[in-house]
Amino acid sequence: MRMFTFKLKPKQIFGGILLLTGIVVILITFLSNHPASPTSAKTVVNCETYEQRLEYLASLGWETDGEEGSKEILIPSQFNDVYNKYNEIQKQQSFDLSEYKGTTAVMYTYNITNYENNENVIANLIVQNGVLIGADLCDTSADSGFLVALNDKN
């Protein structure tokens, strides 16, 4: 049986500690800037034309009477509590209106005809430069009013 011994000078110990510290710092920096699982790319939904918008609603199972309303809206540059709550609904659908603060968009509105025996439900599609950036289903009636994500199938 052989035994090995070696002596280290204080400079060698200090150099080893510096080397290990440098490796740890580099690993932490690399891992914090490169997530373990790749983030999914945002899905772009083209809604430039009337047909594309109806096709998108149909892909989620919604039927409309074909009538379309539209108006230009301004997404505020500062969100209040109402807009923050609305944006939480958008984030459930992989949209985020905070990326569009201070810009204008067009809101297209459609009457939904197949929502659980409710005739007052409308779908809103918020479109900017032909791309869907937000959407919701709502019923503004006093008795059963609600606002939910477009992909919410209750």
Side-chain angles (χ1 to χ4, degrees):
M1 180 168 169
R2 290 189 176 179
M3 291 182 71
F4 293 103
T5 62
F6 51 95
K7 292 183 180 180
L8 294 176
K9 296 178 185 177
K11 285 184 178 180
Q12 291 172 323
I13 294 172
F14 183 70
I17 292 172
L18 281 178
L19 179 63
L20 287 174
T21 304
I23 291 171
V24 168
V25 167
I26 290 170
L27 284 174
I28 290 172
T29 302
F30 180 80
L31 293 175
S32 67
N33 289 327
H34 298 86
S37 61
T39 56
S40 61
K42 184 188 274 190
T43 303
V44 175
V45 179
N46 290 320
C47 284
E48 189 169 0
T49 66
Y50 171 79
E51 289 79 16
Q52 288 173 326
R53 292 186 290 274
L54 287 184
E55 186 178 305
Y56 178 68
L57 289 171
S59 74
L60 296 173
W62 299 119
E63 298 171 7
T64 73
D65 60 9
E67 291 185 32
E68 175 184 79
S70 68
K71 65 179 176 180
E72 188 171 290
I73 61 168
L74 173 65
I75 300 166
S77 54
Q78 293 291 323
F79 285 2
N80 59 19
D81 287 341
V82 173
Y83 247 93
N84 283 326
K85 289 177 184 175
Y86 184 71
N87 201 38
E88 287 304 314
I89 293 171
Q90 299 310 311
K91 288 178 181 179
Q92 293 172 8
Q93 307 174 94
S94 300
F95 299 122
D96 187 358
L97 291 178
S98 64
E99 299 173 17
Y100 303 95
K101 286 182 175 180
T103 64
T104 59
V106 178
M107 179 183 284
Y108 295 96
T109 304
Y110 301 90
N111 296 319
I112 299 298
T113 58
N114 65 328
Y115 191 92
E116 299 181 355
N117 302 322
N118 190 332
E119 299 172 4
N120 300 318
V121 177
I122 60 171
N124 294 307
L125 303 180
I126 303 172
V127 178
Q128 188 178 72
N129 299 322
V131 175
L132 185 67
I133 63 170
D136 66 78
L137 284 176
C138 66
D139 178 352
T140 57
S141 67
D143 296 334
S144 59
F146 63 83
L147 184 115
V148 295
L150 188 62
N151 58 9
D152 185 11
K153 286 292 255 187
N154 285 337

